[in-house]
């Protein structure tokens, strides 16, 4: 299976985090359903051009969160994720992105009003 994961090599964000965030989003959005067999660690590492250790860390982290399960000898699968758990992960991802946006804005000395205006403009752009 080919996962639609894209790596931005110019990003300051670590590779494992980019992969983990995107894979988590695919699971909690329902794009990857329960029981879906994921690529092997080696396959995914080759696809996204990173080390096997990086992908192993991602799979281990997501398994610890209850989003993946690994069966010895058969592979790693998307776990059953309840609606409440799915919502919790879905909202946590958005909150994290918003917090990063605020941090980026503060870093370049945006005011609270400027950030609020940008947020409203982004909302209008995507919810028209």
């Amino acid at each position: 299976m080919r996962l639609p994961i894209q790596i931005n090599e110019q990003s300051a964000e670590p590779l494992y985090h980019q992969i983990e965030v995107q894979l988590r989003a695919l699971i909690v959005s329902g794009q990857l359903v329960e029981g879906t067999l994921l690529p092997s660690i080696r396959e995914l590492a080759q696809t996204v051009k990173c080390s096997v250790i990086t992908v192993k860390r991602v799979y281990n982290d997501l398994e610890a969160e209850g989003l993946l399960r690994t069966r010895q000898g058969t592979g790693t699968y998307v776990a059953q994720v309840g609606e409440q758990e799915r919502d919790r992960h879905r909202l946590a991802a958005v909150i994290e992105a918003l917090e990063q946006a605020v941090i980026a804005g503060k870093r370049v000395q945006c005011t609270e009003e400027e950030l609020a205006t940008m947020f409203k403009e982004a909302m209008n752009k995507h919810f028209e």
Side-chain angles (χ1 to χ4, degrees), residues 16-114:
Y16 85 88
H17 190 258
Q18 291 182 50
I19 298 166
E20 189 172 302
V21 165
Q22 292 178 60
L23 186 51
R24 183 183 296 111
L26 290 168
I27 295 167
V28 301
S29 69
Q31 292 176 63
L32 292 177
V33 297
E34 175 189 353
T36 300
L37 175 63
L38 297 182
S40 71
I41 291 171
R42 191 173 311 283
E43 283 178 90
L44 185 54
Q46 288 174 342
T47 301
V48 298
K49 297 177 176 62
C50 70
S51 80
V52 170
I53 295 168
T54 299
V55 175
K56 184 165 178 41
R57 178 177 178 183
V58 169
Y59 279 17
N60 286 343
D61 287 355
L62 294 177
E63 189 167 11
E65 290 179 26
L67 297 176
L68 298 179
R69 57 185 155 79
T70 301
R71 288 192 210 137
Q72 199 67 32
T74 62
T76 301
Y77 298 83
V78 175
Q80 179 179 3
V81 182
E83 191 174 329
Q84 286 183 326
E85 188 71 7
R86 186 180 307 276
D87 284 345
R88 186 180 69 76
H89 282 287
R90 187 175 56 86
L91 296 177
V94 174
I95 289 168
E96 180 181 343
L98 289 172
E99 288 175 349
Q100 290 303 315
V102 170
I103 290 167
K106 286 185 75 174
R107 193 176 299 129
V108 295
Q109 299 180 346
C110 287
T111 66
E112 188 174 332
E113 293 77 26
E114 288 173 322

